[in-house]
Amino acid sequence: MPSASRSVTPTTSVIEDVVDKYADDIVALRRDLHAHPELSWAETRTSDAVVTALEAAGWTTTRPDGGGVLAEIGHEGPLVALRADLDALPVDDLISDPWRSTVPGVAHACGHDVHTAGLVGAGLALAEVAARGLLLGRVRLLFQPAEEVMPGGALHLISAGALEEVSHVFGLHCDPSLDVGRIGLREGPLTGAADALTVRLIGKGGHTSRPHLTEDLTFALGKVITELPAILSRRLDPRAGVSVVWGMVRAGSAHNVIPHGGVVAGTVRMLDAVAWADAEHLIRQLITSIVAPYSVTAEVTYQRGVPPVVNHAVSTRLLGIALENVLGQQGHVTTTQSLGGEDFGWYLDSVPGAMARLGTRTPGGPTYDLHQGNLRIDEAATCIASRVLAEAAVTALSAG
């Protein structure tokens, strides 16, 4: 997308030319991954495709035990990392394109097929940059498993050495509310912390005509559902943006039977890392207090998930320069912090880095939502991701 405001360097031109040359292959890879989605920790075929494409281009690849792919190019100098996630979601694919999922109940409904193909495309471009002697350091590609499960596969790759010697790490995430050709970026917090909460209640059941002889577990479960979010809003700083949302409730099997067990499960999200540190202890305490009048027993499973993604100032500036070199100033738009969880935050707990939101909506077209089976992606976004990620790497290396 040419623009008078773009800064076109020789390296930028190489990246653009290579991505244009392989555009059909990059899109074909995205379609193939979409048609053959794999769930968290089972991304074997996807990893095979990544390794095949990158090794043919001259990258050295390794496959850590447990999943994922690390790829590296360059022999000396500073090291920059680029990350994509590999896994799909357990939802039905509702699109009608020829590349719709061939796996029942599994679909790329969060755009990870775009992330993966886009990073492979960046790898093809960076291989050519290196071949021409224009790569001022080293680049490592992180193809991460299991972003969709808590606490996320980022910790797995970090333990495998993915961030050793890394000076900056960059990533993109599909945003179906942004038009293709636009990328949303902000310094500081980009996403929220996200935890998983399950509350299982156990008590004496009985007939609904005699609730006084039971522990009325269903009523107690309803109290947990409504009162926990309400009390939290008074016990934590409202600026933390704490949100408890239930996704599953299960109790009983007949209209006139008070059950002896029930369960409710959901997520706990917040904008603030300080509140995240305190949330689990407070929530456990509150649940005990809420159910105490009903004499039921509460079993609480609280799984700490992912911290907020907090973009580093210098890394954000470098990523902003890179995306403007690709898209011009009009392609660089501001964005807001969301409550969505993203385990890219674990990387940023260890090294400086930044994540941006990749516009995937066709201009004038409908706005879809992530984690829905009807998600449609404007495929031009895939090659834009390739160019921006490759440009981010060379921009950061050029900055030293």
Side-chain angles (χ1 to χ4, degrees):
M1 296 185 179
S3 169
S5 60
R6 289 178 60 202
S7 175
V8 181
T9 67
T11 305
T12 301
S13 295
V14 171
I15 292 170
E16 185 172 351
D17 289 346
V18 173
V19 173
D20 285 348
K21 175 182 177 181
Y22 290 105
D24 289 346
D25 294 332
I26 295 168
V27 171
L29 174 60
R30 183 257 159 174
R31 293 180 177 183
D32 178 72
L33 297 180
H34 192 94
H36 302 90
E38 295 172 303
L39 293 174
S40 302
W41 301 117
E43 306 95 334
T44 304
R45 183 185 184 280
T46 305
S47 297
D48 289 344
V50 167
V51 169
T52 297
L54 291 178
E55 288 188 347
W59 288 78
T60 300
T61 67
T62 58
R63 297 178 74 158
D65 291 341
V69 177
L70 301 177
E72 195 159 331
I73 203 164
H75 302 290
E76 58 183 16
L79 175 62
V80 171
L82 305 174
R83 176 268 204 172
D85 35 18
L86 301 169
D87 52 333
L89 284 160
V91 300
D92 289 321
D93 195 345
L94 303 179
I95 69 169
S96 58
D97 298 299
W99 53 89
R100 70 183 306 234
S101 173
T102 60
V103 183
V106 183
H108 272 295
C110 198
H112 295 189
D113 51 340
V114 176
H115 304 166
T116 298
L119 187 54
V120 168
L124 300 179
L126 289 167
E128 183 63 23
V129 171
R132 298 191 189 190
L134 298 174
L135 191 65
L136 304 178
R138 297 171 290 156
V139 179
R140 182 178 295 152
L141 308 183
L142 317 181
F143 291 90
Q144 178 203 306
E147 189 275 334
E148 294 291 358
V149 295
M150 294 182 182
L155 293 174
H156 164 69
L157 284 194
I158 291 170
S159 68
L163 296 181
E164 291 178 3
E165 301 184 72
V166 169
S167 59
H168 297 276
V169 58
F170 299 103
L172 297 174
H173 197 292
C174 289
D175 185 344
S177 71
L178 275 179
D179 283 352
V180 68
R182 302 287 184 266
I183 292 183
L185 181 63
R186 62 176 277 136
E187 179 185 329
L190 181 71
T191 68
D195 298 338
L197 173 64
T198 301
V199 182
R200 185 177 302 277
L201 299 187
I202 302 169
K204 181 183 178 182
H207 199 286
T208 57
S209 66
R210 295 181 290 275
H212 59 293
L213 299 181
T214 75
E215 291 166 352
D216 205 348
L217 182 141
T218 308
F219 190 82
L221 199 64
K223 286 292 188 179
V224 172
I225 292 169
T226 58
E227 291 193 13
L228 180 63
I231 298 172
L232 276 176
S233 71
R234 296 300 183 267
R235 293 291 300 274
L236 291 173
D237 189 330
R239 292 172 295 182
V242 178
S243 172
V244 177
V245 177
W246 306 110
M248 186 272 286
V249 182
R250 185 179 299 125
S253 58
H255 68 279
N256 59 351
V257 177
I258 296 174
H260 58 78
V263 63
V264 58
T267 56
V268 183
R269 300 176 186 270
M270 61 212 76
L271 302 175
D272 183 74
V274 175
W276 188 54
D278 299 334
E280 179 179 357
H281 174 74
L282 178 58
I283 286 172
R284 288 181 179 275
Q285 181 184 78
L286 291 177
I287 291 171
T288 299
S289 299
I290 290 168
V291 303
Y294 311 102
S295 300
V296 298
T297 300
E299 296 178 352
V300 178
T301 302
Y302 193 102
Q303 183 177 17
R304 279 174 64 82
V306 296
V309 171
V310 181
N311 284 342
H312 186 269
V314 174
S315 303
T316 303
R317 179 179 62 82
L318 293 171
L319 184 52
I321 292 170
L323 70 89
E324 289 187 13
N325 286 348
V326 173
L327 299 172
Q329 291 180 357
Q330 80 280 1
H332 182 178
V333 299
T334 58
T335 191
T336 58
Q337 185 181 8
S338 77
L339 279 171
E342 165 58 72
D343 73 351
F344 192 80
W346 290 121
Y347 299 116
L348 303 190
D349 271 2
S350 301
V351 300
M355 169 171 274
R357 294 184 173 132
L358 174 71
T360 61
R361 180 177 61 192
T362 300
T367 298
Y368 296 97
D369 198 5
L370 298 173
H371 288 214
Q372 298 298 303
N374 66 344
L375 176 68
R376 295 293 302 273
I377 300 293
D378 188 311
E379 292 188 308
T382 310
C383 289
I384 290 173
S386 297
R387 292 172 58 193
V388 169
L389 289 169
E391 189 72 25
V394 300
T395 299
L397 291 175
S398 297

